Amino acid sequence: MGRPPPLTDPEVFTAFYRAHVDAVLHFVTRRVDDPHLAADITAEVFFAVIASAATYEPARGKPVAWLYGIARNHIVDDARRRARETAGRRRVAGRRLLDDDDIGRLEERIDANRAARDLHRRLQRLPESERAVLELVAVDGLTVTEAAAALRIRPGAARARLFRARRALADTPAPVEEPCLRMP
């Protein structure tokens, strides 16, 4: 059994992109409330895929886990970058790349993911290491092993972080019942 064709092959990349773009966009819109930014980050993820295709190891997990790891890094990087920019620059950046139909579709998706973003804000109180595992497992549907692969940690460490995160959230009163976070 040989290695799959590289994602730098245009046909292979096109198929890969079509198979995963909706999952990546869904992941991003649960964390970002600006349609322009959601489109930009999703595009950056797939540019990063081309640049780092050689580092993807299929044996470590599903492609979506790898993509979520890349997306998460781009979201964090963008948040840091935006914190340093002026409000005027944020308003201008990337606005001309989307037409009204694109903006409308992204706004619909953002509205549909409002509850997930509210949960994400609640999770901000957790330590980063615990929050990352919990998001990938409870929000994005990865297994603990896949989440560990996306975060480049051992599965045992991921399980321990997931336990601590769930316990911390269980000890904190929630404004609304969140069934995906209940401890088994």
Side-chain angles (χ1 to χ4, degrees):
M1 182 175 351
R3 186 173 173 98
L7 291 175
T8 54
D9 176 309
E11 290 179 21
V12 173
F13 176 77
T14 299
F16 183 84
Y17 173 84
R18 287 183 179 154
H20 300 290
V21 68
D22 285 338
V24 171
L25 188 57
H26 190 68
F27 179 92
V28 172
T29 59
R30 282 194 304 266
R31 290 160 175 80
V32 172
D33 60 1
D34 181 310
H36 300 282
L37 184 58
D40 289 347
I41 289 175
T42 300
E44 289 173 9
V45 168
F46 287 98
F47 286 129
V49 165
I50 292 172
S52 63
T55 65
Y56 173 61
E57 298 174 28
R60 290 189 69 172
K62 295 178 184 176
V64 74
W66 180 53
L67 290 169
Y68 286 174
I70 294 170
R72 186 176 176 286
N73 289 337
H74 280 281
I75 291 166
V76 169
D77 289 346
D78 185 75
R80 289 180 186 140
R81 183 173 46 249
R82 286 171 36 116
R84 292 186 305 260
E85 293 177 349
T86 63
R89 184 163 180 169
R90 274 187 272 135
R91 296 173 89 169
V92 174
R95 301 284 188 202
R96 296 185 193 139
L97 300 177
L98 300 174
D99 63 24
D100 290 339
D101 290 339
D102 292 331
I103 291 172
R105 282 190 296 273
L106 285 172
E107 285 174 340
E108 287 173 11
R109 188 169 285 211
I110 286 169
D111 287 342
N113 285 307
R114 188 169 315 282
R117 280 195 316 281
D118 291 341
L119 172 60
H120 184 70
R121 287 183 188 107
R122 183 171 174 241
L123 296 173
Q124 294 301 312
R125 289 182 261 157
L126 295 175
E128 171 63 24
S129 62
E130 294 172 12
R131 182 175 63 241
V133 174
L134 182 64
E135 287 176 353
L136 290 170
V137 173
V139 178
D140 299 310
L142 296 183
T143 66
V144 175
T145 303
E146 291 167 340
L151 297 171
R152 299 186 184 273
I153 61 175
R154 293 185 176 171
R159 279 189 291 280
R161 291 177 186 181
L162 180 61
F163 175 80
R164 286 192 305 265
R166 284 179 169 161
R167 187 179 63 206
L169 287 175
D171 292 343
T172 304
V176 176
E177 174 94 14
E178 296 159 350
C180 65
L181 298 176
R182 276 193 242 127
M183 304 234 356

